[in-house]
Amino acid sequence: MDYPKSVPSVGLVDGRFVDENPVAGTPGSLIPAVWGNSVTQEILNVITGAGLAAAEADTGQLLRAIQSIVGNASPMRSVVTRLTASRALTDPELGLVLIDGGSSAVTVTLPPANAALGVRDVIVRRMDNSGNRLIVQASGSDRIRFHTHLSPSGYPFLVLMGGGDWWQLRSDAAGSWWPVGRFDNTPLGRPFFETTILLSPGGYGALNGTVMKRAEWPWLWDHAQLSGMLGTEAARAGNEGKWTSGDGAATFRGPEGRGEFLRVLDEGRGVDAARAMGSFQVGSTHSYAMGANGAGAVGAWWSDSLTSFGADTREEPQYVSGLYNGGPVFPAGTSYQRDAANALLLAFKSRPRNIAYPGRIKLI
């Protein structure tokens, strides 16, 4: 495209247009037909190249065509949208969406992921670190395609947890938003230790056996059902590390890990055989016998658990059924006497030296 330099026409100076000058008696430019048609065709090439049908009365087609072409090359626009309350996003607001839910719960609804929207990206980022629930909701029957190993169609919404948590989503023009990136991709349901009592952004909660609503955490409920370690509330005692089905209808419960040591499941090795995943195991109480008044030789028999004698071996820093951690606790004449020689039975628990950190679990 260029000025019509090669086209002889009244009023053109080196192909450039000029105004009429009545004083000098020079006429103004007359636009050559070839140039006018050329300009029109250049614009039509952009419109049709974007897949649009040219319409004479529509004066916004060139802008939409450029947006579509640029969007197909890079679906992210340089747009920043700031929100402090629930609302539905529009096409021009897609870009970096900064959401502050500090004053109340917020639901942000994405535009329909249809052919009119095309392939577009949006980054939704949480700015506040309050406990208010912040939902990013798909429109209508659209779905956000995350955790598709649990649900192939994805889920109708996600939650942003903690200040700085973000997801980048891309529409496919066919009813779905696909995650392109997110703040934290740690696998769902993974337990770990933290060095802060605050909940880090990225989708974490306390490993505290909390009861949750299935409707608010559908992906986590799906995870629990497929985990192989879903139990009932009635059978929770002794199986606190499992998920439970809650009230059986609207709720479920997460694993409890507070105050416990975590152990790798045996899975057929035979070192810690017959253990069920998520089950509780009592602490081991080791014992030995000494002669009367401590004068005899150390006895030859050992026990790794005194439950057969009626002792409660759950590790608690207090007297339990006459047993106290770390000392000679079964003097002669007690119900734990093991022979007729007034032998003393000494017992201890081998709890290793340790440091306590807060336990966390990935919730989304």
Side-chain angles (χ1 to χ4, degrees), residues 12 34 42 54 59 64 76 82 100 103-104 106 113 129 134 142 183 196 213-214 234 252 271 278 289 344 354:
L12 293 178
V34 65
E42 289 271 5
T59 58
R64 292 199 302 275
M76 177 62 68
R82 291 177 170 82
D100 188 337
S103 59
S104 64
V106 173
N129 204 27
L134 200 165
D142 289 357
F183 179 85
T196 172
K213 295 180 180 179
R214 299 180 188 184
F252 68 105
V271 174
L344 295 179
N354 61 85

Side-chain angles (χ1 to χ4, degrees), residues 104-324:
S104 64
V106 173
T107 297
V108 175
T109 304
L110 301 169
N114 52 27
L117 181 68
V119 179
R120 292 292 306 278
D121 274 22
V122 61
I123 296 176
V124 285
R125 182 183 178 110
R126 181 165 191 160
M127 303 302 293
D128 68 286
N129 204 27
S130 71
N132 295 329
R133 189 170 172 85
L134 200 165
I135 297 173
V136 177
Q137 174 84 47
S139 178
S141 61
D142 289 357
R143 289 292 181 268
I144 305 174
R145 297 293 187 105
F146 68 100
H147 295 330
T148 52
H149 65 292
L150 299 173
S151 174
S153 63
Y155 297 90
F157 65 91
L158 58 83
V159 293
L160 293 175
M161 301 180 65
D165 191 16
W166 61 267
W167 289 57
Q168 181 176 353
L169 305 171
R170 178 169 297 169
S171 63
D172 64 0
S176 294
W177 291 89
W178 296 83
V180 176
R182 59 177 294 190
F183 179 85
D184 192 309
N185 279 311
T186 301
L188 183 68
R190 178 170 292 180
F192 69 101
F193 293 115
E194 187 56 274
T195 56
T196 172
I197 60 174
L198 300 177
L199 292 178
S200 298
Y204 296 94
L207 188 62
N208 61 0
T210 189
V211 175
M212 292 171 277
K213 295 180 180 179
R214 299 180 188 184
E216 292 183 354
W217 304 94
W219 52 86
L220 197 58
W221 172 234
D222 286 345
H223 171 79
Q225 293 178 91
L226 297 174
S227 67
M229 55 180 293
L230 177 64
T232 64
E233 279 292 306
R236 184 168 180 264
N239 293 288
E240 291 90 340
K242 290 185 175 183
W243 303 91
T244 78
S245 53
D247 64 5
T251 67
F252 68 105
R253 186 191 294 271
E256 171 68 88
R258 292 172 297 177
E260 306 288 359
F261 291 105
L262 304 184
R263 184 172 188 173
V264 177
L265 188 66
D266 186 282
E267 294 192 281
R269 185 183 180 196
V271 174
D272 186 31
R275 288 292 301 283
M277 183 165 56
S279 63
F280 174 83
Q281 187 180 59
V282 298
S284 298
T285 301
H286 306 286
S287 61
Y288 64 93
M290 294 183 65
N293 299 319
V298 174
W301 33 265
W302 281 75
S303 172
D304 282 333
S305 177
L306 294 181
T307 53
S308 60
F309 294 93
D312 183 347
T313 57
R314 190 164 180 136
E315 294 188 273
E316 298 172 354
Q318 59 198 20
Y319 283 98
V320 181
S321 302
L323 175 63
Y324 187 77

Side-chain angles (χ1 to χ4, degrees), residues 71-94:
N72 288 333
S74 176
M76 177 62 68
R77 295 182 189 169
S78 299
V79 175
V80 178
T81 301
R82 291 177 170 82
L83 303 178
T84 58
S86 298
R87 60 169 295 175
L89 289 172
T90 61
D91 179 355
E93 293 174 316
L94 297 182

Side-chain angles (χ1 to χ4, degrees), residues 9-13 16-19 27-30:
S9 179
V10 176
L12 293 178
V13 178
R16 294 179 179 270
F17 302 101
V18 296
D19 293 325
S29 301
L30 298 177

